Amino acid sequence: MTFSITAADPATGATGVAIASVFPSVGAVCPWASEHVALSTQAWDSGADYGEPLLEMAARDIALESAAEAVLDNRAGSAGTQLHGTEADGETYAYTGEKATDWAGHVVGDAHTAAGNTLAGEAVVTEMHEAFVDADGPLAERLLTALSAGEAAGGDKRGDNLSAAVLVHAPEPNLTHNMRVDQPGDPIDGLWDAYEVAREHTEAVDDPEEMAAEWGEGFDESIVDFEMKY
């Protein structure tokens, strides 16, 4: 019922996830990101019971593969779980439990992973992978491009998504890095609309002349620094 992509940009230190689902409010449950790792916990057994300990272990320099296997070994529902992620240095991990609903599977690429379950077919994850490799621009934009490619390849086999989200952790955060759309129909298109608005606003507040005209010379930088909530 969900397809997603995780990735890192080792050159900038950014990590991120983009995800869409027939499940409501997927952005509140499945994607997780920190300065160390980006990951998605999805399918039957998912959420904070996976995301929080994995982020904590990543902060203690425990490799994602070791951390994920430790968590999966202690979860009775892990056979129905899909868990994948990318560390800030580009190392990857992906797991699809045997009870994840068909079609379910994943692709691991260079500094990124794509995975999904209850999909129209394998092409959904392979198209996400290929689109990400071919995409240019900021990490958030590349993730959204991959998500759109997964939808174009058939997405969830049951039809329209209910929610979609993008979550990026970067040394210099901006408003394009944490967006959710929870609306039946085409929330991925909604994410693109939100991305464009957020990008335009970010460019405006990054223009010193425009901000000086609004606030006067010597304005406090705090008014244009957005501390993101993760």
Side-chain angles (χ1 to χ4, degrees):
M1 58 183 166
T2 300
F3 54 100
S4 59
I5 181 164
T6 78
D9 184 349
T12 65
T15 66
V17 189
I19 188 167
S21 183
V22 171
F23 183 81
S25 302
V26 70
V29 178
C30 298
W32 301 81
S34 74
E35 63 184 295
H36 307 287
V37 66
L39 55 98
S40 181
T41 84
Q42 56 198 51
W44 289 109
D45 195 31
S46 60
D49 287 344
Y50 288 95
E52 289 178 352
L54 288 172
L55 292 191
E56 289 171 3
M57 284 188 274
R60 302 203 305 270
D61 291 326
I62 299 173
L64 177 59
E65 181 176 0
S66 298
E69 291 179 354
V71 173
L72 289 165
D73 285 346
N74 286 285
R75 291 286 296 184
S78 63
T81 291
Q82 208 169 37
L83 172 62
H84 67 115
T86 305
E87 297 179 80
D89 63 2
E91 290 295 314
T92 56
Y93 174 82
Y95 164 85
T96 297
E98 61 184 12
K99 290 190 178 297
T101 307
D102 284 339
W103 186 90
H106 56 260
V107 173
V108 174
D110 182 19
H112 69 279
T113 60
N117 60 88
T118 324
L119 301 183
E122 185 177 3
V124 177
V125 294
T126 59
E127 289 295 321
M128 282 196 291
H129 153 67
E130 292 174 4
F132 182 80
V133 170
D134 292 341
D136 295 316
L139 183 58
E141 189 168 323
R142 296 169 67 199
L143 290 167
L144 283 172
T145 297
L147 199 65
S148 291
E151 179 68 3
D156 191 300
K157 67 181 181 182
R158 293 170 301 178
D160 289 346
N161 296 306
L162 291 180
S163 60
V166 62
L167 181 65
V168 171
H169 192 288
E172 296 184 6
N174 65 60
L175 295 178
T176 68
H177 290 170
N178 193 342
M179 301 182 297
R180 300 175 185 176
V181 174
D182 300 311
Q183 183 174 345
D186 198 342
I188 297 174
D189 274 358
L191 272 184
W192 275 112
D193 291 342
Y195 178 82
E196 290 301 324
V197 172
R199 184 183 58 79
E200 290 170 4
H201 184 84
T202 297
E203 290 176 354
V205 299
D206 282 344
D207 184 335
E209 292 185 3
E210 186 168 335
M211 294 307 295
E214 178 72 23
W215 284 84
E217 296 293 339
F219 62 88
D220 194 307
E221 289 293 328
S222 65
I223 65 174
V224 296
D225 288 338
F226 300 104
E227 294 296 327
M228 304 301 293
K229 179 181 180 181
Y230 291 98

